[in-house]
Amino acid sequence: MLRIGVLVSGRGSNLQAILDACRGGRLDAQVVLVASNREGVPALVRAARAGVPHRTFTPIAYGSRIAAQRDMGRALATAGCGLVVLAGFDHVLGDTFWDALGDVPVINIHPALLPAFGGRGMMGLKVHEAVLAAGATETGVTVHRARRGTVDEGEVVLQRRVPVLPGDDAATLSDRVLAVEHEALVEAIAALSASKAV
Ligand code: GRF
């Protein structure tokens, strides 16, 4: 059974989708650690409710982001993760994380059709505002392998398209994309697992 570590910073709805898929049998997998860079976020409550191990690695508690991420990488490796999922993790991961984690594959989910509307600072509603400002008629979801030293780059695992509808604002578009994110993330994990890529 695939052992998954999930990195979170906030709401945790994608984490919830993974937890639900594991519990419901859609994924032959188990979340073995939820790691957050922020205290007291809803994602940690979701992990606690699901009875899943969860820890916070805040830069303040560790004295630096570098030290916090080193310990986070070690904890994920020690938990025996076969896959790490960035599900709304809002810090760039530095070398200490990658070195500590070793060769465990890492994937990220982004609420747009990368390479469009990605990169540093492109998070949350900002992504959808940029899509609307560009007058795009469609957007979507990308699940991709995360690559050391980059943001929103790496081999695409799966993309799903979502139409931009007349009258959409960033909030309505975000809601429609988020529903697709939850499906796409579970599908991507299942596909990686089936292909023995993780
Ligand atoms: C999602 O839109 C995800 O694509 C992006 O951050 C958001 C996290 O949402 N990377 P949630 O915390 O999973 O609800």
Side-chain angles (χ1 to χ4, degrees):
M1 188 185 284
L2 179 64
R3 296 171 69 82
I4 303 176
V6 185
L7 268 54
V8 296
S9 302
R11 179 177 53 190
S13 69
N14 280 289
L15 165 66
Q16 191 68 57
I18 296 170
L19 291 170
D20 291 348
C22 291
R23 199 183 43 203
R26 271 185 76 199
L27 283 177
D28 184 21
Q30 182 187 2
V31 176
V32 292
L33 183 61
V34 173
S36 173
N37 59 339
R38 297 182 189 280
E39 304 253 20
V41 293
L44 291 167
V45 177
R46 294 179 193 269
R49 268 200 218 120
V52 163
H54 50 286
R55 289 182 56 187
T56 54
F57 300 85
T58 66
I60 286 179
Y62 281 84
S64 72
R65 194 184 285 197
I66 287 172
Q69 290 192 355
R70 180 187 297 120
D71 214 43
M72 189 167 70
R74 278 188 191 141
L76 291 159
T78 303
C81 293
L83 175 69
V84 170
V85 181
L86 309 183
F89 187 76
D90 64 3
H91 281 168
V92 177
L93 291 164
D95 284 341
T96 56
F97 172 81
W98 294 100
D99 289 343
L101 183 64
D103 58 8
V104 179
V106 181
I107 60 170
N108 179 47
I109 182 156
H110 186 76
L113 293 173
L114 292 173
F117 307 109
R120 276 173 206 255
M122 268 296 181
M123 284 195 214
L125 285 182
K126 277 192 189 160
V127 177
H128 306 294
E129 282 162 6
V131 167
L132 292 168
T137 54
E138 68 171 7
T139 181
V141 172
T142 304
V143 181
H144 65 96
R145 289 188 181 259
R147 205 196 288 147
R148 182 193 286 250
T150 66
V151 175
D152 296 336
E153 288 178 29
E155 182 197 336
V156 170
V157 177
L158 176 155
Q159 287 189 309
R160 290 286 174 267
R161 296 177 181 280
V162 176
V164 178
L165 301 180
D168 261 340
D169 58 24
T172 59
L173 190 53
S174 170
D175 287 349
R176 193 172 326 110
V177 170
L178 190 63
V180 177
E181 285 188 47
H182 298 158
E183 293 298 314
L185 185 53
V186 170
E187 254 183 71
I189 294 169
L192 285 171
S193 185
S195 72
K196 303 282 181 231
V198 290

